[in-house]
Amino acid sequence: MSNRILVNEIGYLPGQKKRGVFTGEKSCSFQVVRKNHDTEEVMLTAESGQPIFDKDGGEFCSVIDFTEITIPGTYVIRCDSAESVPFMIGEDVYRNLEKDITRFYYLQRCGQELSEQIAGKFAHKSCHDTPARVYGTDKFLEVNGGWHDAGDYGRYIVAAAVTLAALFYGIQEKPEFAGLNPDLASGPMPDLLQEIRYELEWMLKMQEKETGKVYHKVSCAGFCGFIMPEEEREELVICPPSLTATADFAACMAMAVAFYKPYDEAFAKQLEDAARKAYDVMKEIQVPGGFMNPEGVVTGSYEDKIEKDELYWAAAELYKAFGDRKYRDDFESYVNQEVLHGYGWEDVGSFGNLAYLSAEFDTDEELRNKIKASMVAFANEKLEKANKSGFGVAFDENEYIWGSNMYAAENGSHLYDAYVLTGDEKYLDAAREQVHYILGKNACGKCFVTGHGTNRIYNPHHRPSSVIKEAMPGMVIGGPDSGLHDPDAIADCTGMPPAKCYTDKLLSYSTNEITIYWNSALIMLMAQVMK
Ligand code: G3I
Ligand code: 9MR
Ligand code: ZN
């Protein structure tokens, strides 16, 4: 294999560490070249670090460190015959990308016409706006709205709740994130808050009025072909309530209250009531083994056999929002058993930890310390993996799984948490490397956000993009999955090292799909560390 130089294809902030990777058995003497129209200037000549064998990608790698370059501009790095793609150094290098990864949510809207004026090529007529059948009954409900989950057109509560939680942290960490697309705002609320409300309004409709339980999802019974959303006209089916959906819903609603109170008291009250009602009923939903698709339904199932982390998150979030003793007692009894971690759709414990640690009501100091210590220990495991990786990614060879890019971003957030708790910059640096990994400094040599970078993703598993024949910009794709979970992945990646099990094919849903919660994971991490 020829030598390559891999970098964050978007670029680097002037004040941060800047690292690329040279792949080759020997180290290299590299040049960092600043390009200005047709002139070039060598800004740095140096030697790459000691080569190490990167098991995940099956090749030798050495680190190219050019941190000392801080002058804004367009650069390439050269070494022997290898040359990196051009990238930028500058204060606003991520701005367009950040705009697109947040704008994406508007473009995923369901149940509403998207005008050409705002959505451009991705305009479409209203979709999925017929009454939906409650599975196994003759009852129909209106549950219009929300965002399409992914490359398919299902709408799933578990996925929605973690997406919103991550977006809220994004806004909290970097308030500018809420207002990057002012053309989408129509009132006093910044556009992203308004957009999140669109999802919340749909989620509220998914709560069973009589009981407070929350339906797991709404979709057609099966996946449609590659058509625009308004062309999917099969009957919509609402699947039964689940514990995970109801607990995640409660947590997310409680979290939302503080964000909407300043703008709309009545809406905030509605969120609070919904959260409390869901909380009170969630433990009653006992389905052994958790939610599974009922017979005849084959769309996304978001199955999750371990439900204690969802209860944990809900208790912490309701305590933080409302201060009732019962929520605190519940959370403390869970934490006493075990501190849980995770910022993904399946494991949500870390959201619970952050809520408890930031609650303004009384908390237990000993438990707080126990949580903090466990968060740092968890981050240490990630750091150790990052240090072993040629690319600085906090995975071992078994962790290139479906949606691995979300786990890369999530790991960055765990590292960031340890930085906040300890003040030790090594965690912050490692967290940033996860962003660089996603944006191009990876074994695939791809910028994993559509519409950005030089080696970009052209064929995401995303129905509107496939119809329009152009990738909607600003979507984080799943990334390498060594499980080879679709025919194209099997055809293209059999025998490949785990970090390279990726194929830019429309039908490779297990490596090349997109989801609302993969974008939000990157948004949360970028808001935390790219500033
Ligand atoms: O948790 C295990 C882990 O312990 C094990 O080591 C690893 C080895 O493969 O697998 C892990 O489980 C994986 C699980 O995701 C957890 O992330 C499964 O293999 C993997 O198949 C599963 O993939 C999920 C996929 O649906 C299939 O169920 C993705 O996370 C999830 O993002 C994806 O979601 C789909 C929706 O169903 C439908 N809409 C599109 C969306 C994205 O593809
Ligand atoms: O498009 C579907 C995608 O959203 C799912 O993640 C994936 C796995 O459940 O399934 C995709 O749909 C495929 C289906 O599973 C099998 N037939 C072909 C469909 C389109 O590739
Ligand atoms: Zn729709």
Side-chain angles (χ1 to χ4, degrees), residues 483-505:
L484 309 184
H485 288 107
D486 65 67
D488 274 310
I490 294 171
D492 294 356
C493 309
T494 297
M496 299 280 260
K500 290 181 176 164
C501 290
Y502 166 75
T503 183
D504 183 14
K505 294 266 175 74

Side-chain angles (χ1 to χ4, degrees), residues 149-150 152 156 223 300-302 345-346 398 401-402 407 485 509 513-515 517-518:
D149 180 54
D152 65 321
Y156 312 108
F223 292 114
S301 57
Y302 292 104
W345 67 261
E346 203 174 11
N398 304 312
I401 62 174
W402 195 321
Y407 295 98
H485 288 107
Y509 46 81
E513 194 167 356
I514 63 96
T515 72
Y517 49 95
W518 297 341

Side-chain angles (χ1 to χ4, degrees), residues 109-111 127-128 148 153 229:
R109 278 194 187 193
C110 180
C127 55
H128 305 107
H148 299 131
Y153 295 130

Side-chain angles (χ1 to χ4, degrees), residues 138-383:
D138 288 324
K139 199 167 132 188
F140 284 82
L141 295 176
E142 190 266 291
V143 289
N144 298 350
W147 304 316
H148 299 131
D149 180 54
D152 65 321
Y153 295 130
R155 286 167 289 151
Y156 312 108
I157 288 290
V158 162
V162 296
T163 302
L164 297 196
L167 290 177
F168 284 136
Y169 277 110
I171 293 171
Q172 187 181 305
E173 290 283 344
K174 197 169 168 185
E176 305 96 275
F177 253 113
L180 291 172
N181 292 289
D183 62 314
L184 298 181
S186 57
M189 231 184 258
D191 58 85
L192 189 55
L193 271 186
Q194 187 181 305
E195 194 52 47
I196 294 173
R197 180 169 176 161
Y198 190 75
E199 183 79 343
L200 287 166
E201 301 269 14
W202 163 70
M203 291 174 76
L204 289 166
K205 295 181 186 178
M206 293 291 284
Q207 185 172 36
E208 206 175 56
K209 293 294 152 294
E210 306 74 34
T211 63
K213 294 178 184 175
V214 179
Y215 296 112
H216 195 75
K217 63 176 193 164
V218 56
S219 69
C220 298
F223 292 114
C224 62
F226 289 90
I227 54 178
M228 288 303 277
E230 67 271 27
E231 284 155 16
E232 188 184 46
R233 294 200 193 87
E234 278 73 44
E235 184 173 87
L236 291 168
V237 184
I238 298 176
C239 284
S242 67
L243 186 154
T244 51
T246 306
D248 282 356
F249 171 99
C252 177
M253 293 292 153
M255 197 174 178
V257 170
F259 287 87
Y260 292 93
K261 220 179 197 151
Y263 299 99
D264 187 341
E265 289 264 355
F267 183 56
K269 182 71 176 63
Q270 197 189 348
L271 298 169
E272 173 172 351
D273 293 346
R276 289 183 181 276
K277 222 171 151 187
Y279 192 92
D280 288 341
V281 74
M282 65 189 185
K283 286 181 229 160
E284 283 171 33
I285 310 172
Q286 280 173 354
V287 182
F291 178 86
M292 275 174 29
N293 269 334
E295 211 190 315
V297 176
V298 302
T299 48
S301 57
Y302 292 104
E303 285 169 32
D304 182 357
K305 295 195 172 20
I306 299 167
E307 299 176 321
K308 62 183 176 188
D309 52 313
E310 283 77 13
L311 299 175
Y312 178 104
W313 178 29
E317 213 66 75
L318 271 83
Y319 182 60
K320 177 183 174 182
F322 314 129
D324 301 24
R325 183 79 217 190
K326 65 171 176 181
Y327 305 134
R328 176 179 173 182
D329 288 344
D330 284 353
F331 181 74
E332 291 181 350
S333 79
Y334 299 137
V335 167
N336 263 320
Q337 292 160 35
E338 192 187 353
V339 180
L340 302 174
H341 303 279
Y343 288 120
W345 67 261
E346 203 174 11
D347 297 310
V348 295
S350 300
F351 287 121
N353 297 332
L354 290 190
Y356 187 76
L357 292 181
S358 61
E360 284 170 10
F361 300 106
D362 287 346
T363 49
D364 182 288
E365 198 182 343
E366 222 171 282
L367 283 181
R368 274 205 315 273
N369 289 337
K370 174 175 170 173
I371 293 171
K372 289 180 189 171
S374 177
M375 288 169 76
V376 173
F378 194 67
N380 283 337
E381 290 170 24
K382 308 292 175 195
L383 187 64

